[in-house]
Amino acid sequence: SRGPVEQGPALCVLADSREVCSGPGVISCLRAEHGLRVQVCALGTSDYIVSNRLAVDRVLQSELQSPGNRNKLSQRLQRLQGSFERICVIVETDRVRPGETSRFFQRTQYYDGVLSALVQAGIRILFSSCQEETAALLKDLALLEHRKDAAIQVPTEPEGHRQDVLSFYLSIPNLSYGAALNLCHSFGSVAAVANSSVPALAAGARLGRPQAEELHRFLRHDFEPQLLPQPLPAKGK
Amino acid sequence: PVTAGSIVVPYGHVIGNEKWRGSEVAQRLQGKVRLIFEDGLGLVDFHLSNRTSLLLISEADLVAGEEFKRRLVRFRNASSLRGIVIVEKTQISDQYYLGVQKLVVLELGMVLLPVANQGETSQLIIQLVSFCVREQSRDHGSNPFLRKQRAQLAEPAVLQTVQQIPGVGKTKALLLLQQFGSIHRLCNASINELEEVVGQTAAQQIYTF
């Protein structure tokens, strides 16, 4: 079943730098087992970006069990919905630490409520029992998106001047890392982006219509200094 | 009959396939949701709303072989309803889970939720119904995962973005935006216009960026 990956250039997945610590098994398995190109970068919003439109968050089952995490998770997923057309959550079974007997998973009403809310919000849910399975699911998703012509196909490591341009695009609200990379490669300059129409932005950045409209609006937004919150926000938020 | 068509579900009710009458799932649902049994639902086990139907796959279905797959594919082909599949994932059926997940979620684009037994099935149905009811009543605010469309001021973000241009800090960014108004107009400013606002060096940097 690994056949399709080996044809042509390797599929590319972007991984958030935090995943190097929290999911090392996922990243190494994606590279070694499935032959994917994994680019680690500061995504900030999601754990993985699998295509131009799909973001994947890896969540431990225990995190869905405790109401304490609810705000964090909902803020995260709401932000993702601002930047991506599709969102998937992989619910991974917690690892049993050495010396710990396998904990019995006590399913709570709260847990069922979280799942129901995710379903109703149109967020795709996959279940995994370990990091290796999570990697296999990410590969399946990347492959599926590739078949639908949504794969990430631009170089993921801009150099020199392009790095500054990338930081510029990344600072735009609700613009995903993938869309920023696409802007870098599809347009010769920032001015070309600023002068583009909504359809041209959608095509060049591989964005959906609403996101392209938001980007267009942002670039042409008329700045009103009086509307800045007082005192001015500190540099770097 | 192989029906998978839509059906009118009265507000706040669940319509169950006749075959579930008297089952453990149905007994546990009694009193928690308003359950009506109907004949001829075909492939669907429960209708949670006009748009959402539920298909249950038992441990025995999984062990028995491929029949349940044909049923899911038939449902998907015959219906545009949102299909939620609940599967019994036990020690015995666990080995089949990944294959089922790939079929249901990745290939058919339906929702798949694992449970350990019929007791968990009914608990999950109760929660799903409660969210279906909220959806019908357009009470979207209660879903913590739906994006709230709130207007946010773009000013701080625009200022932040302009500061990403090399050589531009907060002071210069503010001056530039006061003069040119938007990123679009800033991008189209001539080098002379830029020089009037910031120094020659910075103007050059901005212009080449």
Side-chain angles (χ1 to χ4, degrees):
Chain A
S1 66
R2 270 186 251 162
V5 184
E6 280 153 21
Q7 300 163 7
L11 285 175
C12 175
V13 165
L14 306 179
D16 188 54
S17 28
R18 281 166 317 169
E19 279 293 286
V20 175
C21 295
S22 60
V26 181
I27 295 180
S28 63
C29 193
L30 277 172
R31 284 185 179 141
E33 189 92 5
H34 304 294
L36 261 65
R37 190 157 61 86
V38 184
Q39 175 73 45
V40 176
C41 35
L43 299 180
T45 47
S46 68
D47 291 331
Y48 295 91
I49 295 179
V50 163
S51 75
N52 287 315
R53 54 180 192 180
L54 175 65
V56 181
D57 240 6
R58 185 175 149 255
V59 186
L60 292 178
Q61 197 170 37
S62 60
E63 293 177 63
L64 295 190
Q65 280 280 66
S66 60
N69 288 314
R70 182 196 176 108
N71 275 342
K72 218 176 78 193
L73 186 68
S74 73
Q75 277 169 12
R76 218 171 134 75
L77 295 179
Q78 281 186 24
R79 263 176 65 200
L80 278 184
Q81 281 170 323
S83 342
F84 289 90
E85 278 176 70
R86 294 168 189 227
I87 301 164
C88 177
V89 168
I90 297 183
V91 181
E92 190 178 288
T93 313
D94 295 68
R95 258 196 295 192
V96 181
R97 291 181 190 83
E100 199 179 42
T101 48
S102 174
R103 268 176 300 176
F104 181 64
F105 173 65
Q106 189 67 51
R107 194 178 181 114
T108 57
Q109 193 181 329
Y110 175 78
Y111 177 80
D112 286 334
V114 171
L115 291 183
S116 305
L118 289 171
V119 169
Q120 198 221 344
I123 295 169
R124 202 176 262 216
I125 315 169
L126 292 168
F127 293 86
S128 151
S129 64
C130 58
Q131 296 198 8
E132 288 69 30
E133 265 183 36
T134 300
L137 291 173
L138 284 167
K139 180 212 67 175
D140 287 340
L141 287 169
L143 209 54
L144 192 70
E145 289 291 284
H146 176 71
R147 279 206 297 272
K148 295 185 176 168
D149 197 30
I152 300 166
Q153 276 164 332
V154 296
T156 48
E157 284 177 294
E159 282 166 7
H161 174 62
R162 284 202 154 167
Q163 222 153 30
D164 294 331
V165 176
L166 179 64
S167 321
F168 179 84
Y169 294 141
L170 285 174
S171 71
I172 297 173
N174 292 332
L175 198 70
S176 74
Y177 202 97
L181 280 173
N182 287 330
L183 283 177
C184 275
H185 293 275
S186 306
F187 295 90
S189 66
V190 176
V193 171
N195 287 322
S196 287
S197 64
V198 172
L201 287 175
R206 312 274 323 252
L207 281 173
R209 180 86 192 185
Q211 265 115 22
E213 276 169 4
E214 195 182 335
L215 171 60
H216 189 259
R217 222 177 302 129
F218 180 80
L219 293 170
R220 285 164 196 255
H221 179 81
D222 248 318
F223 186 78
E224 291 281 348
Q226 297 92 313
L227 292 180
L228 279 175
Q230 297 291 340
L232 290 174
K235 201 174 173 181
K237 216 159 132 194
Chain B
V2 186
T3 55
S6 59
I7 189 162
V8 179
V9 182
Y11 180 77
H13 287 66
V14 173
I15 296 183
N17 195 314
E18 184 63 36
K19 72 177 181 199
W20 289 97
R21 194 188 283 275
S23 66
E24 188 193 341
V25 173
Q27 278 169 10
R28 285 172 183 261
L29 288 177
Q30 298 291 355
K32 306 275 177 41
V33 298
R34 279 172 277 183
L35 187 58
I36 307 165
F37 286 105
E38 240 178 64
D39 237 348
L41 294 191
L43 300 169
V44 175
D45 291 306
F46 293 93
H47 284 279
L48 304 187
S49 73
N50 294 347
R51 291 186 48 231
T52 312
S53 39
L54 199 65
L55 289 88
L56 305 187
I57 302 202
S58 67
E59 178 189 61
D61 290 334
L62 284 173
V63 177
E66 307 286 289
E67 182 50 36
F68 76 92
K69 292 188 184 171
R70 281 191 279 276
R71 182 174 152 226
L72 294 177
V73 172
R74 281 209 304 259
F75 169 82
R76 196 73 190 88
N77 291 339
S79 173
S80 58
L81 296 178
R82 178 163 68 183
I84 300 176
V85 181
I86 295 184
V87 61
E88 260 179 32
K89 185 175 184 261
T90 63
Q91 277 186 336
I92 295 165
S93 65
D94 191 41
Q95 53 180 316
Y96 305 106
Y97 186 76
L98 282 181
V100 174
Q101 178 165 264
K102 203 167 170 176
L103 172 77
V104 174
V105 183
L106 299 183
E107 286 166 37
L108 301 178
M110 293 162 74
V111 177
L112 181 70
L113 300 170
V115 296
N117 50 50
Q118 290 203 14
E120 289 193 0
T121 304
S122 55
Q123 277 182 37
L124 180 55
I125 292 177
I126 293 166
Q127 290 299 319
L128 286 168
V129 169
S130 107
F131 273 91
C132 278
V133 169
R134 287 186 222 181
E135 186 178 49
Q136 282 171 305
S137 62
R138 306 225 154 66
D139 182 13
H140 289 300
S142 62
N143 188 327
F145 303 120
L146 272 177
R147 191 183 179 209
K148 317 244 180 327
Q149 292 289 350
R150 60 186 153 214
Q152 251 183 356
L153 284 177
E155 268 64 24
V158 171
L159 189 64
Q160 195 70 43
T161 299
V162 173
Q163 286 178 52
Q164 301 301 315
I165 302 171
V168 178
K170 203 197 299 176
T171 317
K172 280 184 185 146
L174 209 51
L175 283 172
L176 288 166
L177 282 168
Q178 275 166 342
Q179 180 64 34
F180 297 104
S182 69
I183 293 176
H184 174 242
R185 260 179 277 141
L186 175 60
C187 285
N188 291 303
S190 72
I191 190 143
N192 290 332
E193 287 175 306
L194 290 169
E195 267 179 34
E196 282 171 28
V197 184
V198 292
Q200 204 181 349
T201 333
Q204 187 64 45
Q205 272 181 311
I206 297 163
Y207 190 74
T208 46
F209 183 78

